[in-house]
Amino acid sequence: MSKPILEIKNLSAGVGDKQILKGISLTISPGEVHAIMGPNGSGKSTLAAVLAGRAGYEVTGGEVIYDGKNLLDLNPEERARAGVFLAFQYPVEIPGVNSTYFLKAALNEIRKSKGQPELDAMEFLNLVKDKIKLLELNEDLLRRSVNEGYSGGEKKRNEIFQMAVLEPRLAILDETDSGLDIDALRIVAGGVNKLKRPDSAQMVITHYQRLLNFIIPDFVHVLYDGRIVKSGDKQLALELEAKGYDWITKAA
Amino acid sequence: MSTATETIEGLVKQDYKYGFYTDVETDSAPPGLSEETIRLISRRKNEPEWLTDWRLKAFRHWQTMQEPHWAKVHHEKINYQDIVYYSAPGKKGDRPKSLEDVDPKLLETYEKLGIPLRERERLAGVAVDAVFDSVSVGTTFKKQLAEKGIIFCAFSEAVQEHPDLVRKYLGMVVPYTDNFFATLNSAVFTDGSFCYIPKGVRCPMELSTYFRINAANTGQFERTLIVADEGSHVSYLEGCTAPMRDENQLHAAVVELIALDNAQIKYSTVQNWYPGDENGRGGIYNFVTKRGLCRGSNSKISWTQVETGSAITWKYPSCILQGDNSIGEFYSVAVVNNYQQADTGTKMVHIGKNTRSTIVSKGISAGHGQNSYRGLVKVQKSATGARNFSQCDSMLIGSKCSAHTFPYIEVKNSSASVEHEASTSKIGEDQIFYCNQRGLATQDAVNLIVNGFCKEVFKELPMEFAVEAQKLLGVSLEGSVG
């Protein structure tokens, strides 16, 4: 068996005095897709934020090993350069900053950290033109400012487009399905599926089973009150859809 | 969260790179201001009697005036008798005849500042007039410009060689009675640049003046006069720096622009006077009057400024739109950090028919900085069909700084259209985290975000200046793609 990409061991974290994650353990190996489901307030987005290194969250216990390294020792940009990618639930607008320039700067930071040569503008544009088709996005988007004036659907698709360009080892999709209509959902999920590689992994965070009709997970974990209360395969997601979260949360 | 804020605040702090002092011999007047001081300046410059009289009239008027305090800035009382009103590099006597006569130390200074003063650096393609303390030390590219009939020289030289032009236009836009600091300047101005573009000539290169305050306790009072005759076109750049000192130094300049029929003047400034230290000690008081007169029809004056320096900036580059169909523009980025204060903006006075003006102001406040936009759009009765668009955006970095907007609008013609948009935003930890999560370090993220915020103004700057401006904000090259 290959070495895991991510090992979360008994992770506890919170904001201020409030404990949100209360001992999470999870191992993700190359080629796997893990779905994290759970009711609102169960700690799904906190888990994503802690893994990406967002300021304001305090880790109070446990550890996270990423590619054999202590992930929690790295600052957010070091994590990103090491291949941890977070598709934001609410992508952030950066007015006046050209999307292409932004993404090129990001890719070149990642390449630099791997000791690869930086791409020049032409090389980058060629790369991008292939990837943008994957998400059925208009090339015009590349000339606009980062996320500024994008529709909700465009923002989410743009996140996956960035993921396509940056080719992360661990992609964390935080409620990427929220606010998408069924067509957009199909495009986004299709993009994510095409980006699956044997040497990388995906963590898909969602409230609804709907997304998992398109992105087929190898494992489904139910998060409740800061703990993983049940794990299973994709059948578990269907059961949740049918019976609701009460079925599990009452047992927990 | 507070640690993240502190990081941001730490990152916007940058050391002042131009704080060195050049040890050159100077010929200075004793401190203090009197009719005698003014006569001394006038005598040193061998000025004609009309100019001495003009100065004295200004001085007598100034004595009746009060220092203005309406701007949203605070400073200790300025003692005008402690200031040295005349300081020239070199021994007593004439200004240098050519670049060969200029003290090599001075040339080194300009080289350190990245100013190509020597003609051999003609590749830079910018004609430079450099003003060191009060005296202009050399103008490059003079010959090439003269072939087109363009006059670009030190103000004091223009007084000697083109007295009629100077006499005709001096004070036409900013009369000696205009305001406290402009009147003081009129009395004691020592040098500056003069530029005349003849009819129908398009100036083949960017003209540039570089101002440097070097000596201690010296005020710099330069005067720039640019006249674009009918159908001519000129782009003019101005840059400024000063050594680091604990005491405040006064800079009270006057810039007058005059555009005749169908003429265009583009005036760009990158102001990086010493801003004081992180506790607000020292720095330049930059109290400047800049005004352009679109005298002819279809004329255009465009101001672009990037203000990053000075302890206090008090400056309103303005346009009087007298000619029909004339156009005034003002693009500004003003950055304050530590204890810097800026009260800056513009006045657009519409007099002619179908006159148009555009104002884009970007204020960035960090540290304990205080940034105010103050602008007046005035449409007179005669200005049928006048149009104005104003946009004032403020960005706050950290929680101890402030931003204020004071837009004044006076419209006396019902056919006029005036639009004003304003916004205030805080540089978001969200934005920085988003950049971090894509692999960008926090400093790069701040630069990127600030640069994006200023983009509309930077794109108005001539290329070489845009680069300098971006560097000044510590910004990597944005917009090179797409």
Side-chain angles (χ1 to χ4, degrees):
Chain A
M1 205 181 117
S2 57
K3 260 176 53 188
I5 289 182
L6 186 73
E7 289 173 274
I8 304 173
K9 296 176 183 171
N10 202 24
L11 178 68
S12 300
V15 176
D17 293 336
K18 193 170 184 276
Q19 279 297 105
I20 301 173
L21 303 182
K22 301 170 181 173
I24 288 191
S25 295
L26 180 63
T27 300
I28 299 183
S29 293
E32 293 177 354
V33 176
H34 288 244
I36 309 284
M37 301 187 69
N40 290 332
S42 58
K44 300 189 298 290
S45 286
T46 299
L47 178 61
V50 169
L51 292 176
R54 186 171 207 137
Y57 293 87
E58 200 189 338
V59 174
T60 50
E63 58 176 344
V64 180
I65 308 296
Y66 170 78
D67 251 347
K69 290 184 290 265
N70 183 352
L71 185 71
L72 303 177
D73 279 352
L74 305 178
N75 64 32
E77 61 269 29
E78 290 166 337
R79 298 180 199 199
R81 291 170 198 164
V84 175
F85 179 91
L86 173 64
F88 282 61
Q89 182 174 5
Y90 305 107
V92 181
E93 298 185 4
I94 311 179
V97 176
N98 175 279
S99 291
T100 307
Y101 178 82
F102 175 75
L103 195 51
K104 177 168 156 271
L107 180 64
N108 280 334
E109 285 297 339
I110 291 168
R111 291 179 65 92
K112 260 194 290 183
S113 76
K114 290 185 188 162
Q116 296 168 342
E118 295 184 37
L119 295 186
D120 66 25
M122 282 315 293
E123 292 166 325
F124 181 76
L125 278 177
N126 287 335
L127 170 81
V128 151
K129 280 187 175 155
D130 286 341
K131 305 276 184 182
I132 201 159
K133 286 185 202 127
L134 204 66
L135 276 304
E136 298 176 35
L137 279 166
N138 193 330
E139 271 187 40
D140 166 58
L141 220 61
L142 294 171
R143 286 184 283 275
R144 282 152 60 183
S145 298
V146 179
N147 289 318
E148 199 187 27
Y150 292 21
S151 70
E154 279 176 330
K155 280 184 185 174
K156 294 299 181 75
R157 274 192 277 166
N158 186 47
E159 291 291 289
I160 307 305
F161 163 60
Q162 293 184 5
M163 174 179 155
V165 172
L166 301 180
E167 300 185 327
R169 274 209 88 202
L170 175 67
I172 303 164
L173 278 54
D174 187 9
E175 310 246 3
T176 296
D177 53 333
S178 68
L180 290 186
D181 61 33
I182 194 73
D183 292 328
L185 186 67
R186 193 176 287 127
I187 292 167
V188 165
V192 172
N193 287 334
K194 281 180 214 154
L195 295 175
K196 246 181 101 165
R197 295 193 320 265
D199 63 334
S200 68
Q202 297 171 350
M203 182 193 277
V204 180
I205 294 172
T206 182
H207 183 78
Y208 299 105
Q209 193 272 338
R210 191 175 72 145
L211 178 65
L212 304 179
N213 290 333
F214 300 100
I215 299 175
I216 311 296
D218 300 299
F219 301 94
V220 174
H221 310 279
V222 180
L223 197 60
Y224 176 70
D225 192 25
R227 293 185 184 86
I228 290 178
V229 292
K230 198 167 178 65
S231 294
D233 60 11
K234 61 180 184 199
Q235 285 306 319
L236 177 58
L238 294 171
E239 263 180 88
L240 283 173
E241 179 80 348
K243 302 182 186 171
Y245 283 109
D246 283 354
W247 159 62
I248 288 178
T249 57
K250 277 192 187 124
Chain B
M1 292 288 173
S2 66
T3 47
T5 307
E6 278 161 29
T7 326
I8 298 169
E9 284 174 2
L11 285 165
V12 295
K13 279 184 192 151
Q14 287 174 25
D15 289 339
Y16 189 72
K17 288 190 201 114
Y18 306 104
F20 56 85
Y21 165 73
T22 310
D23 190 11
V24 289
E25 245 183 287
T26 56
D27 165 27
S28 301
L33 186 53
S34 63
E35 291 207 2
E36 196 34 52
T37 317
I38 289 159
R39 285 183 204 280
L40 177 129
I41 294 169
S42 203
R43 216 165 33 236
R44 275 280 204 284
K45 301 193 151 290
N46 196 24
E47 285 175 353
E49 207 181 323
W50 64 264
L51 189 50
T52 314
D53 288 346
W54 195 76
R55 288 173 178 278
L56 289 170
K57 273 193 285 184
F59 177 64
R60 285 167 202 145
H61 186 76
W62 182 74
Q63 287 175 307
T64 68
M65 297 171 100
Q66 295 286 321
E67 193 182 85
H69 289 283
W70 45 263
K72 195 169 171 55
V73 296
H74 172 80
H75 58 83
E76 297 298 319
K77 209 173 148 41
I78 300 170
N79 188 339
Y80 293 91
Q81 295 305 331
D82 286 348
I83 296 172
V84 174
Y85 288 87
Y86 182 75
S87 170
K91 298 181 187 71
K92 282 185 183 150
D94 285 340
R95 61 191 298 275
K97 294 268 187 304
S98 72
L99 282 175
E100 277 67 42
D101 297 340
V102 174
D103 188 328
K105 276 186 194 154
L106 271 182
L107 294 179
E108 262 172 51
T109 302
Y110 283 104
E111 253 152 51
K112 264 194 227 174
L113 295 167
I115 307 306
L117 194 63
R118 290 163 186 270
E119 299 237 25
R120 64 177 159 81
E121 302 203 36
R122 68 176 64 221
L123 275 178
V126 176
V128 178
D129 183 28
V131 178
F132 194 84
D133 285 338
S134 304
V135 169
S136 177
V137 289
T139 308
T140 60
F141 283 106
K142 208 178 235 172
K143 233 182 255 165
Q144 287 92 321
L145 293 170
E147 280 163 16
K148 296 228 169 206
I150 296 168
I151 302 167
F152 177 45
C153 63
F155 202 97
S156 50
E157 192 181 326
V159 170
Q160 303 301 324
E161 314 214 337
H162 311 281
D164 296 347
L165 278 174
V166 175
R167 194 170 185 179
K168 181 171 175 189
Y169 290 109
L170 177 70
M172 179 182 270
V173 192
V174 182
Y176 70 81
T177 51
D178 194 77
N179 71 75
F180 186 82
F181 295 109
T183 301
L184 176 62
N185 173 289
S186 303
V188 302
F189 76 91
T190 32
D191 218 327
S193 295
F194 175 80
C195 174
Y196 173 80
I197 315 289
K199 270 184 198 175
V201 171
R202 205 181 165 91
C203 187
M205 62 185 78
E206 308 276 356
L207 300 183
S208 171
T209 299
Y210 207 89
F211 294 109
R212 171 92 181 153
I213 297 179
N214 191 57
N217 298 318
T218 304
Q220 182 148 332
F221 305 93
E222 78 276 354
R223 197 153 182 125
T224 300
L225 175 56
I226 299 174
V227 181
D229 211 326
E230 289 170 24
S232 70
H233 190 289
V234 62
S235 171
Y236 192 90
L237 320 173
E238 174 203 288
C240 353
T241 58
M244 291 158 86
R245 294 185 189 288
D246 287 346
E247 71 274 13
N248 298 106
Q249 284 180 282
L250 179 62
H251 174 248
V254 171
V255 175
E256 295 179 274
L257 311 183
I258 297 155
L260 303 183
D261 285 355
N262 303 305
Q264 291 192 15
I265 303 174
K266 182 177 176 67
Y267 194 104
S268 312
T269 306
V270 171
Q271 185 264 109
N272 189 23
W273 294 120
Y274 177 54
D277 68 11
E278 69 275 13
N279 299 313
R281 218 158 31 124
I284 303 291
Y285 290 166
N286 192 34
F287 299 157
V288 170
T289 305
K290 290 185 169 177
R291 197 174 300 151
L293 173 62
C294 283
R295 199 168 180 219
S297 57
N298 305 310
S299 56
K300 177 178 174 182
I301 289 178
S302 180
W303 298 98
T304 306
Q305 58 170 18
V306 176
E307 305 281 315
T308 63
S310 296
I312 302 177
T313 298
W314 185 97
K315 174 180 171 187
Y316 314 90
S318 303
C319 297
I320 317 267
L321 304 171
Q322 186 181 16
D324 288 349
N325 309 310
S326 60
I327 298 173
E329 293 176 337
F330 174 74
Y331 297 96
S332 168
V333 166
V335 183
V336 293
N337 194 6
N338 296 323
Y339 287 87
Q340 279 176 274
Q341 306 173 69
D343 192 302
T344 184
T346 184
K347 283 190 276 187
M348 293 290 174
V349 181
H350 294 255
I351 301 169
K353 289 187 184 69
N354 300 314
T355 45
R356 278 175 289 155
S357 63
T358 304
I359 299 171
V360 177
S361 161
K362 304 278 180 176
I364 299 159
S365 317
H368 292 82
Q370 188 168 297
N371 210 337
S372 303
Y373 167 81
R374 188 182 301 274
L376 169 68
V377 176
K378 189 171 182 176
V379 178
Q380 300 206 341
K381 214 167 177 182
S382 53
T384 304
R387 273 179 291 157
N388 161 266
F389 172 75
S390 303
Q391 184 188 335
C392 303
D393 298 322
S394 306
M395 177 178 268
L396 304 172
I397 303 178
S399 51
K400 298 181 203 99
C401 54
S402 64
H404 313 271
T405 305
F406 304 100
Y408 301 90
I409 297 173
E410 282 175 38
V411 180
K412 297 202 175 102
N413 184 308
S414 58
S415 68
S417 135
V418 176
E419 284 177 68
H420 182 94
E421 285 179 12
S423 78
T424 302
S425 61
K426 207 171 162 188
I427 193 165
E429 281 163 17
D430 279 0
Q431 288 175 320
I432 290 172
F433 177 62
Y434 190 72
C435 295
N436 286 157
Q437 216 300 307
R438 296 298 181 254
L440 304 175
T442 303
Q443 174 71 68
D444 296 337
V446 170
N447 290 345
L448 192 77
I449 296 162
V450 168
N451 198 15
F453 178 72
C454 301
K455 190 179 213 162
E456 287 159 282
V457 174
F458 285 167
K459 72 170 201 267
E460 295 297 327
L461 287 171
M463 196 53 182
E464 56 272 65
F465 244 35
V467 173
E468 190 180 335
Q470 289 186 343
K471 270 198 230 146
L472 256 185
L473 296 187
V475 184
S476 55
L477 230 174
E478 223 278 74
S480 56
V481 179

